Amino acid sequence: MRRLRRFVHLVLFCPLSKGLQGRLPGIKVKYLFLAWLGIFVGSWVVYMHYSSYSELCRGHVCQMIVCDRYKKGIISGSVCRDLCDENALVFQQCLSSSPTYQVYSGIWREKAVTIKCGIEETLKPDGNPESGPRRDLVLFDKPTRGTSMDEFREMLLTFLKSDLGDQPSLSNLVNRIVIMADINQDGRVSLAEAKSVWALLQVNEFLLMISLHEKEHISKLMGYCGNLYVTEKVPHDSLYGMEVPHILQPLLPSAVLKVIHQWFAPAWPRRAKITIGLLEFIEEIFHGTYGNFYICDTSTKYIGFNDKYDFKMTDLRNVVTEMAIKGFLKGRHCEQNSDCTYGKDCMATCDKLMKQCNSDIIQPNLAKICGLLQDYLLYGAPADLKEELQKQLRTCRTLSGLASQMEVHHSLVLNNVKSLLWKRISNTKYS
């Protein structure tokens, strides 16, 4: 301890010797102390960032495993040849936030793309994919050899019913999946093609991209290989245009984060246009073609926009189907409402008499999004619009109750906010 104290004293106070203070009389001790403290914190942040990089960023592992499976004939896909044979699909910046879900920016045939790949089924506890036999048969175990096309279609239909509900349009979705699986367009689906599509459908985001493929606010699916898939690159992957690195967020007070967001946010009319797109997306997933979807983590880091300031959902992992939530809540024991929470903020009520969760979400998507938009829209809003906008957002944030019982009210509130913004930016360069 004595040596440690002496080291701290040398680091912090040696630069503050009387000689130095005599040469620099205008510099106060506390400012130098803060400067050294800033250097220390900055060095710690850099160290933590790079020490976690090797854990989070395993794109080379993902590519090696996918290409190994492709060359063995286990999987197929529209980008397999470009990824494994021709090097036309290139990994670039690592964007991963989890070691089991790899996200990279990349280039595919001179186009900017985003590459996503799950590797939880292939990594051993020591992180070395070669340390033991890979569990290919776990991820690509269906369909089995000898499965007919009719049986495969029935597999798909049963799976979609369990995830999306018994929707009348599911047969159309099955046809779309079968067409997508037929990579060489020979009118047949090989075993490798079928295994690849089946594995991808187990990924929530991929299932959502297929279910919502007609929506303009979803990142376009460009191609896939096994359980690796490629989407269009969204230039701005945060609602504010930039996101403070997650390693720095705990170190900064919320007031400082708010100021940083305001500095980098687009001009207010552009924020209004992005918001209109976001509200349209909320409207699209509320009782849509394939059922109702819930956003279970309403964070700015999953909401982006392109260079034309059109809203784009950059990450669909936190958008879940109503069937998934009902399955999670069914028969679930609880003591309070927080025990009935799916994801971060999809909360249902707890029946304290039965000690079981009810199946209906308390707060709809729109109410949570309006809470997110409070600071985003009011900052810099035109003075003659601010009061009415604040009133509409307040009404929106208080929405609650069963979705089936508030459909008209939901649509009315959503259209009021959207119309208010559209009237202000219509017939301008921002529209």
Side-chain angles (χ1 to χ4, degrees):
M1 288 298 296
R2 182 178 297 175
R3 290 181 179 179
L4 179 62
R5 286 197 299 269
R6 183 177 298 173
F7 174 76
V8 172
H9 178 81
L10 287 172
V11 170
L12 294 179
F13 298 107
C14 272
L16 310 179
S17 63
K18 291 183 179 180
L20 179 60
Q21 291 183 51
R23 290 193 296 272
L24 303 172
I27 300 177
K28 294 184 179 180
V29 171
K30 63 178 181 180
Y31 295 134
L32 285 175
F33 173 77
L34 290 174
W36 277 90
L37 183 62
I39 293 172
F40 174 76
V41 172
S43 300
W44 178 81
V45 168
V46 171
Y47 169 76
M48 291 298 294
H49 174 76
Y50 283 103
S51 64
S52 64
Y53 183 89
S54 60
E55 176 68 20
L56 287 178
C57 301
R58 299 174 181 268
H60 63 290
V61 176
C62 181
Q63 183 175 1
M64 179 180 65
I65 293 170
V66 167
C67 291
D68 179 59
R69 289 170 171 166
Y70 166 64
K71 290 173 182 177
K72 288 179 177 178
I74 298 172
I75 63 174
S76 180
S78 55
V79 301
C80 287
R81 182 175 295 178
D82 287 342
L83 175 68
C84 304
D85 296 336
E86 300 180 3
N87 294 321
L89 176 61
V90 182
F91 287 73
Q92 292 187 320
Q93 183 183 1
C94 176
L95 307 174
S96 306
S97 58
S98 166
T100 61
Y101 184 74
Q102 294 296 289
V103 183
Y104 276 76
S105 63
I107 296 293
W108 183 36
R109 296 184 178 180
E110 301 182 354
K111 291 182 181 178
V113 295
T114 299
I115 306 168
K116 301 184 179 183
C117 176
I119 57 176
E120 64 272 13
E121 294 293 345
T122 54
L123 285 179
K124 292 296 178 180
D126 62 1
N128 182 5
E130 299 299 337
S131 62
R134 295 190 294 270
R135 295 183 290 172
D136 294 333
L137 296 180
V138 174
L139 187 59
F140 299 98
D141 59 340
K142 294 181 180 179
T144 57
R145 187 173 299 278
T147 302
S148 68
M149 275 303 302
D150 288 340
E151 290 171 329
F152 182 52
R153 286 178 176 273
E154 188 61 34
M155 278 178 59
L156 292 173
L157 185 60
T158 302
F159 172 78
L160 294 175
K161 282 182 179 179
S162 67
D163 277 64
L164 302 175
D166 193 1
Q167 308 296 333
S169 52
L170 286 184
S171 58
N172 295 331
L173 188 56
V174 169
N175 290 334
R176 173 176 168 77
I177 293 171
V178 170
I179 293 172
M180 182 183 67
D182 184 13
I183 299 300
N184 55 10
Q185 298 180 348
D186 62 354
R188 298 178 297 175
V189 177
S190 68
L191 186 60
E193 290 171 339
K195 283 180 179 288
S196 298
V197 167
W198 182 260
L200 282 170
L201 288 173
Q202 314 310 308
V203 180
N204 179 66
E205 182 176 45
F206 189 87
L207 175 62
L208 269 289
M209 292 182 74
I210 296 299
S211 305
L212 302 172
H213 69 278
E214 296 176 344
K215 313 304 181 185
E216 62 177 305
H217 304 303
I218 299 295
S219 296
K220 183 181 177 182
L221 177 67
M222 308 288 286
Y224 66 91
C225 180
N227 63 324
L228 175 148
Y229 56 104
V230 180
T231 68
E232 68 171 318
K233 174 69 176 175
V234 179
H236 308 281
D237 57 0
S238 167
L239 188 60
Y240 286 94
M242 66 87 60
E243 193 72 26
V244 177
H246 68 276
I247 197 169
L248 290 177
Q249 291 179 13
L251 303 175
L252 299 176
S254 57
V256 174
L257 288 172
K258 183 177 178 180
V259 170
I260 293 174
H261 281 152
Q262 290 174 350
W263 281 347
F264 289 94
W268 187 88
R270 301 199 186 282
R271 277 180 275 148
K273 182 181 180 182
I274 295 166
T275 299
I276 290 171
L278 174 54
L279 294 174
E280 288 174 350
F281 174 72
I282 297 301
E283 194 170 22
E284 289 168 350
I285 64 174
F286 183 72
H287 290 177
T289 306
Y290 299 111
N292 198 7
F293 298 86
Y294 289 93
I295 302 174
C296 291
D297 187 352
T298 46
S299 172
T300 59
K301 62 184 178 181
Y302 304 126
I303 301 171
F305 54 93
N306 61 19
D307 290 332
K308 295 181 179 179
Y309 298 93
D310 297 318
F311 161 78
K312 290 285 185 179
M313 199 73 183
T314 60
D315 192 333
L316 291 171
R317 284 180 295 164
N318 295 292
V319 180
V320 296
T321 66
E322 186 173 24
M323 292 295 290
I325 293 180
K326 287 185 180 296
F328 171 81
L329 295 173
K330 185 177 181 181
R332 187 176 183 83
H333 175 80
C334 65
E335 299 291 338
Q336 53 192 353
N337 288 355
S338 59
D339 297 328
C340 304
T341 304
Y342 186 100
K344 183 179 178 181
D345 53 18
C346 282
M347 183 184 293
T349 55
C350 175
D351 186 331
K352 295 184 179 179
L353 182 63
M354 299 294 294
K355 300 292 185 181
Q356 285 192 346
C357 296
N358 295 314
S359 60
D360 293 300
I361 300 299
I362 298 174
Q363 197 178 31
N365 291 326
L366 183 59
K368 292 185 287 187
I369 287 297
C370 284
L372 195 69
L373 293 172
Q374 180 77 11
D375 292 333
Y376 186 70
L377 279 180
L378 293 181
Y379 171 70
D384 60 332
L385 184 71
K386 194 168 187 176
E387 184 177 349
E388 179 62 21
L389 182 58
Q390 192 168 19
K391 176 183 174 182
Q392 294 289 351
L393 290 175
R394 189 185 306 118
T395 301
C396 180
R397 293 199 319 273
T398 58
L399 282 173
S400 63
L402 306 183
S404 58
Q405 297 176 0
M406 52 166 266
E407 186 166 357
V408 175
H409 190 202
H410 179 283
S411 298
L412 180 63
V413 172
L414 188 147
N415 286 326
N416 284 344
V417 178
K418 192 166 69 170
S419 298
L420 187 66
L421 298 173
W422 181 248
K423 286 178 182 177
R424 177 51 61 116
I425 67 170
S426 62
N427 301 320
T428 69
K429 65 178 181 179
Y430 300 106
S431 62

